[in-house]
Structures are given as structure tokens and as C-alpha cells.
Amino acid sequence: RMKEKWAATLPKFPPTSLALQHFDATYSVQLGQLWPSVRIALLSERKYGALLNTFSHDAVLEDLQAKGCRDFITDTDTEALPCLDPESVVGVEGESNDVPVKKSNADRHLKISPKIKCLVFPRGDITRFKPARPDTQRLLGYYLLDAASVLPCLALDIQEGHIVLDLCAAPGGKAVALLQTQAIGFLCLNDTSVSRTLRLKKVLHSYIPKELLTSKNLRITSSDGTKWGEIENNTFDRVLVDVPCTTDRHSVMEDDNNIFSKNRIGERRRLPQLQLELLLAGIEAACPGGEIMYSTCTLSHIQNQSVVEQAIHLAQENHGIILEVVDLRPLTHMFRKTFHFAPNLHLGEMVIPHLGANFGPIYMCKLRRLT
Ligand code: SAM
């Protein structure tokens, strides 16, 4: 047990209080009347999902189902999606130099990998999962994560033989999800932090059979992702850009490693610029026709929609790359029984915390390179 800090050394305003003050000021404006209910969920125990490891030999699925869990991915509402506009061109909010964004509706019939499975307890049930146990091959049966963070992986729509880049990959939850598709031709996993890259490697060895972790199908690097486009551009079919952010839930709950602590003010202020540079690098790394998923675990408009808007503008301005925003409404419609989605987001989709289904926040926006 850790000894409690002496009152004299405790900060007058702990980072969790500073975070909550900041969120009260910004999110009450951004989310309006939704904020009080999101706030109470954010301050309550979060809900996990168990991402099933289909490489494990244990009968984990049956075991979890017997405990009352369901796979939210296969157990969806099949009711047809109400008619969407055939194809719409939407203007980007904000500055006059913004480029109009073509919003594609081509993914109305979203293909979801049948291999990714994530189990959750029913709505309102906050039973905790036990830690996963290793099977005879020493592979763990499931990975515990915020179930909403599987959504960007599903929406990325990995197809057989795809070359995939996960630009900010550690500790590896989404990489494990992507690998469950068993369709990836070659996977590049990168994270600038050397210590977190080590953790990523450990996670991979706990979930993925050794024969799939060879240099024939996998490369793991610890580079600065913002420079990726300069080295390897026009290459990847799919790019995941899961950026560092204010991790809102952590920021209001844990004082340790909190981005709202006084000595991290500069780092926090630089986040939107870092996120923009990472997204632009991911866009450059994708091939024409390739798709890029931008995701965060914050509710912040400045770190979400604003970053995407600027990236679309700068990709065209500086690199001549034209992008369309992929409509993810088929996905939100499909999973509306499991998650609460923010209504009427101008760009992308967002799972917002709710006491009955305390997942998120997870923001995601998918872009497709037209050139
Ligand atoms: N995708 C991961 C997962 O599902 O487990 C979580 C990624 S976390 C939200 C963001 C990661 O970005 C951190 O591990 C951090 O080390 C990494 N990061 C921060 N700056 C970076 C940079 N310039 N290039 C690459 N990765 C960076």
C-alpha cells in the first residue's frame, strides 16, 4: 500500500479538480444540456468490454456468455437504417478558407469483420470482468478495454491482404483488435515512446501466436509519427491515428500521470498541434483510395472536429491531397443499443459516457483519400 501524501505536500488544486474545472467551463458550452449527465457518468466507474482473443484455445466466449455477457458486435439491431441522403456535400464550419468536404455515403452497408468479438455485460450492469487467464499456449483469452474503443477498429473496415499502419499503437488494445480480423497482409505498429513500445510488444506476445509475429507480417517501430509521411508516403490501405489527448476520464479520476498537472501545461496546450501533425502524417502515409481513422478519448471539439477540419484543409493546401469524410451513421445505427452517441455531430461520431452504458468518450472520424 502507498502511504498517503502529507497534507502539506498535496497540491492545493489537484490535477483532477483542475481537469473538472476546465471541462465544466468548456463542455457545458459545447454539450449544453447533455453535460450534467455526461459529467456524472465521467465521474462514475467506467464499464469495460472483453475483446475476445480468437487465437486463444479456451472456451472463453461460452464462459462469458454463461455469466450474462453478450457480444455487442454480432448482437446488433438489424432494423434498416432510415434513408440517408444519397450523397451530400457539406461545408466545414469555421473559417472562410475551409475546403468543402465531400461526405460519402458509400458505406451504407458497412462490412463488419465477423472475427472481432467484444463482450459486455447488459445495460446498467456494472459487473467487473475477472483478469484473463493464459491458455495452454500461454495466450490470454480476452483483452479488457473500453468497448467503445473497438468501434474505430471496426469502422476501419480491414479487408483481406490490406497493408495497415497504426501510428500511435501502444499499449496495443486496438492493434490486438485489428489483428483479430486475421485479414491483414502487413501491419506496421509505431509509438514514439520506447517504454510504451515495450509494453506493446508484451501485449502482442500475450495475445497473438508467435508465428504471426514475424518480420514477414509485422514491423514495430518507435519513431516520431509526425514525420512518418516524409519517410513512407502513399503506401498504406488503412491508417489508424489514435492520438494522445486529454484522456478525459483519466483526467477527472486519477491524479497520477495527469495531463492537467501544473508541470504539464505546455504539453497539454501543444496537444491539438501534435494531433494535427499526426493526422496529416497518417493522411500522407495512406495510399490514394486508402482510408484513415482519426480517434481520441476526449470530448473536446478542439482536439476532435477542429483537428480533422484543419487536416482536411492542409492536406489539400500543402500536399494536393483531396479527402472525403466517410459517413459512419450506419455504424452508430448498428450499435445504438450498446452505446450513447452524441447527436448531430458535424464531423465524425462520438460515444458519450452515460450512467446506463458507461463507455467512452471515444471520438472517431474516418477519411478517404480521393487523390
Ligand atoms: N492505440 C493505442 C491503443 O489502442 O492501445 C493507444 C494510443 S494512446 C491514445 C496515444 C499514444 O500516442 C501514446 O502511446 C503515445 O506514446 C503516442 N504518441 C505520442 N506522441 C507521438 C508521436 N509523435 N508519434 C507517435 N506516437 C506518439
Side-chain angles (χ1 to χ4, degrees), residues 143 145 149 153 166-177 190-197 199-200 203 221-228 240-245 247 267 271 274-275 277-278 295-297:
Y143 186 98
L145 41 55
S149 63
C153 305
D166 184 350
L167 197 58
C168 307
K174 295 195 184 66
V176 171
N190 177 69
D191 198 285
T192 192
S193 155
V194 175
S195 58
R196 287 175 67 95
T197 308
R199 226 175 116 199
L200 166 71
V203 166
T221 49
S222 297
S223 308
D224 176 0
T226 63
K227 306 279 185 292
W228 200 280
L240 177 62
V241 187
D242 186 37
V243 293
C245 67
T247 52
E267 185 189 343
L271 272 178
L274 172 62
Q275 292 159 341
E277 289 177 24
L278 285 166
S295 58
T296 74
C297 53

Side-chain angles (χ1 to χ4, degrees), residues 204-350:
L204 290 178
H205 283 101
S206 307
Y207 287 88
I208 314 296
K210 275 201 283 297
E211 53 278 19
L212 299 181
L213 300 176
T214 66
S215 54
K216 230 178 82 202
N217 29 40
L218 180 75
R219 191 171 82 209
I220 304 177
T221 49
S222 297
S223 308
D224 176 0
T226 63
K227 306 279 185 292
W228 200 280
E230 294 165 20
I231 311 156
E232 203 168 27
N233 55 24
N234 300 332
T235 304
F236 295 90
D237 300 296
R238 297 288 185 267
V239 181
L240 177 62
V241 187
D242 186 37
V243 293
C245 67
T246 44
T247 52
D248 294 359
R249 201 181 268 280
H250 179 88
S251 293
V252 294
M253 294 300 274
E254 302 276 338
D255 282 322
D256 276 350
N257 189 23
N258 190 315
I259 195 147
F260 282 84
S261 53
K262 285 256 158 60
N263 56 359
R264 294 181 71 185
I265 291 177
E267 185 189 343
R268 180 158 60 84
R269 294 217 172 116
R270 284 191 297 275
L271 272 178
Q273 181 60 29
L274 172 62
Q275 292 159 341
L276 174 62
E277 289 177 24
L278 285 166
L279 178 53
L280 277 169
I283 290 169
E284 278 187 85
C287 61
E291 295 179 350
I292 304 104
M293 173 61 70
Y294 177 76
S295 58
T296 74
C297 53
T298 175
L299 296 160
S300 159
H301 190 288
I302 293 171
Q303 297 174 63
N304 295 337
Q305 295 97 313
S306 296
V307 169
V308 176
E309 279 171 10
Q310 289 179 70
I312 292 170
H313 173 69
L314 290 175
Q316 179 161 7
E317 195 88 331
N318 298 346
H319 307 286
I321 297 174
I322 301 183
L323 295 151
E324 72 177 352
V325 179
V326 179
D327 192 347
L328 294 179
R329 277 177 297 174
L331 182 101
T332 58
H333 182 79
M334 203 174 215
F335 298 123
R336 68 186 191 285
K337 267 198 329 194
T338 307
F339 303 104
H340 276 253
F341 291 97
N344 309 322
L345 235 56
H346 172 64
L347 268 182
E349 299 290 349
M350 182 159 66

Side-chain angles (χ1 to χ4, degrees), residues 55-57 134-140 205-206 209-211:
F55 298 109
S56 164
H57 288 312
D135 67 5
T136 48
Q137 296 171 284
R138 305 178 67 79
L139 295 178
L140 296 174
H205 283 101
S206 307
K210 275 201 283 297
E211 53 278 19

